[in-house]
Amino acid sequence: MTDFDRTVGIIGGGASGIGVAKALTEAGLDYEVLEASGGLGGNWQPDGPASKMYASVHLISSRRNTQFSDLPMPDSYPHYPRHSQMYAYLMSVAARYTVEAHTRFHTRVVRARPDGGGWRCELADGSVRRYAHLVVANGLLRIPLVPKFEGHFDGESVHSGDYRSADQFRGKRVLVVGGGNSGCDIAVDAALNADAAFHSTRRGYHYMPKFVDGKPTQEWLMDIAPKFTDAQAYWDHVGAVFKLAGFDGTDFGLPAPDHRIDAAHPIMNSQVLYHIGHGDLAPKPDIRRIDGRTVEFTDGSREQIDLILWATGFRTDLSFFDPADFDARVDLDRLFLRMVPQRHDNLLFVGYLNTPSGLGNVLNITARFVAACLSARIAGSENFRRLQQMKQQPERLDLGQGRFMNTDRHRYEVDLWKYIRAVNFVTGKLLDGATQAAPAEALTA
């Protein structure tokens, strides 16, 4: 074995890249991060090119459910930390594992292709780096998506990825389009700051408060779960509590959801229905057409709008791969455990999934799998060869994806508990069959 056979390249120095670097360090593996910007943190990096942060952002998962269980956030942090606190926390993790010393900044990968048993990464500055193993961690939120409607808009058009503060709304009639967590959070900003605020959503949703019984809602949900043996009874109870707390959208004139409460990524927002109920935010259905600054909705109503904020999602950017080597349009959906491609044994992906949880413990589990996988390949173990057989039948492991709505938003959604069990099962197989149970803290993620 040569020194090259142990080399690992990580594309992306965001939260996922930091988590992988942490696990590789713990496993005694060296690595190099290729980061396009001048700092670590990715989406959480203030004013970074990949940042999606705006002034009012707080986590929608609680501190306990977001932190790495083995590196707790400071006790001084609130239940739902601000984005600046989350960034500071990630930087403390990176510092603990000296990730910066292993990172090449201002290094954008323009092409990655198989080469001589490894991967050849061609960089924007014309240089080349080669690795025996490549881990891709540049994230799901890369290219903004803006839907097309009949007509044209003459006002200001801003995607949520470019939104920074409610100052952009003052003195304007604002329409926020999109019913996800960012759309609801930004709609609240508009309700508090715009001259008039409207919120367009395509369907009815289940809204969850951020606190129940004095606890962050996710923690309350986990605390009461053991009291129920039947899943339907559990969700019926949860729905009844949310109804009593004033979080049934139909009570505010919104359409009833067309899906079960557990069939969609949760919307955690304690304020959007409050502002609808106070008349500060006017709900609207989907857009039918746009004429100049007049927006017509599918219910026939029309509003004069100065600024449209599109909270309509993102798509991935894996354009540095030749489709002949990795076709993201097809191969990304076929990843075993949402990490392992079927066509390569030295390529892994981290962060290409969604779960109703914070990132820390899921990232701990997935990054430990990556470390186990790379260690097994470097050692040439029989367990790694078994993994190559296993990954050709991904249907053998139930990740709970069938429970969720068939929408682009839920394309990468997995059931948290099934996913944890599946990843730990395969990690255990890689590590000589030893049982690799998630730590107790992870099972409360």
Side-chain angles (χ1 to χ4, degrees), residues 151-157 290-295 305-308:
H152 67 280
F153 183 55
D154 290 341
E156 187 177 355
S157 182
I290 304 174
D291 291 308
R293 298 204 178 197
T294 301
V295 178
I305 301 297
D306 300 312
L307 184 153
I308 298 179

Side-chain angles (χ1 to χ4, degrees), residues 57 91 173 204 300 313 387:
V57 169
M91 291 307 96
R173 295 173 61 85
L387 172 64

Side-chain angles (χ1 to χ4, degrees), residues 5-331:
D5 295 326
R6 300 180 60 86
T7 56
V8 181
I10 303 173
I11 299 179
S16 292
I18 292 170
V20 172
K22 171 181 179 291
L24 296 188
T25 300
E26 292 170 337
L29 297 175
D30 198 8
Y31 63 88
E32 183 172 71
V33 177
L34 302 179
E35 169 54 43
S37 75
L40 298 170
N43 182 46
W44 299 96
Q45 183 188 150
D47 301 320
S51 176
K52 311 299 184 296
M53 295 300 109
Y54 43 93
S56 60
V57 169
H58 287 72
L59 298 182
I60 60 168
S61 57
S62 70
R63 179 185 70 189
R64 169 185 162 192
N65 288 348
T66 303
Q67 65 194 8
F68 292 97
S69 57
D70 50 343
L71 291 175
M73 290 184 180
D75 291 339
S76 60
Y77 275 25
H79 285 299
Y80 293 99
R82 290 184 60 84
H83 63 89
S84 55
Q85 293 172 310
M86 179 63 184
Y87 173 71
Y89 171 69
L90 285 175
M91 291 307 96
S92 71
V93 175
R96 182 183 180 94
Y97 289 89
T98 64
V99 178
E100 188 170 309
H102 295 258
T103 302
R104 294 170 64 93
F105 294 104
H106 302 293
T107 303
R108 183 169 61 88
V109 178
V110 296
R111 189 178 183 193
R113 59 186 179 87
D115 179 54
W119 287 88
R120 173 188 171 95
C121 293
E122 300 173 7
L123 311 180
D125 64 4
S127 62
V128 172
R129 303 293 291 175
R130 294 184 68 249
Y131 308 97
H133 312 86
L134 190 63
V135 180
V136 181
N138 74 335
L140 288 171
L141 311 180
R142 301 299 302 180
I143 300 176
L145 291 174
V146 176
K148 295 185 181 299
F149 295 98
E150 183 180 351
H152 67 280
F153 183 55
D154 290 341
E156 187 177 355
S157 182
V158 179
H159 192 274
S160 62
D162 297 316
Y163 173 67
R164 291 297 176 263
S165 85
D167 290 341
Q168 295 171 251
F169 293 155
R170 293 194 173 96
K172 299 172 184 175
R173 295 173 61 85
V174 173
L175 170 66
V176 178
V177 180
N181 281 288
S182 292
C184 289
D185 284 350
I186 296 172
V188 169
D189 276 1
L192 291 169
N193 294 277
D195 278 5
F198 306 89
H199 189 199
S200 170
T201 57
R202 289 181 295 178
R203 56 169 57 90
Y205 297 92
H206 297 277
Y207 297 89
M208 297 188 181
K210 297 189 83 169
F211 293 93
V212 175
D213 195 23
K215 304 174 183 176
T217 298
Q218 289 174 322
E219 297 176 21
W220 173 77
L221 288 169
M222 291 181 295
D223 286 347
I224 68 167
K227 301 176 182 178
F228 295 85
T229 57
D230 178 73
Q232 188 59 53
Y234 168 73
W235 286 112
D236 286 347
H237 174 73
V238 169
V241 170
F242 290 169
K243 169 79 171 178
L244 185 63
F247 283 84
D248 183 341
T250 62
D251 292 337
F252 297 83
L254 299 175
D258 58 359
H259 55 279
R260 303 184 318 274
I261 191 172
D262 63 332
H265 195 81
I267 297 175
M268 303 288 293
N269 191 297
S270 291
Q271 301 179 75
V272 67
L273 296 179
Y274 172 92
H275 286 293
I276 290 174
H278 285 72
D280 300 323
L281 181 65
K284 291 289 182 179
D286 203 4
I287 296 172
R288 175 177 291 158
R289 64 173 288 117
I290 304 174
D291 291 308
R293 298 204 178 197
T294 301
V295 178
E296 180 181 340
F297 301 93
T298 55
D299 63 355
S301 63
R302 297 181 180 185
E303 297 292 345
Q304 293 296 306
I305 301 297
D306 300 312
L307 184 153
I308 298 179
L309 188 295
W310 304 99
T312 45
F314 300 82
R315 65 179 174 87
T316 59
D317 182 7
L318 297 171
S319 56
F320 45 80
F321 286 117
D322 187 313
D325 299 322
F326 184 87
D327 188 344
R329 297 169 300 178
V330 177
D331 295 332

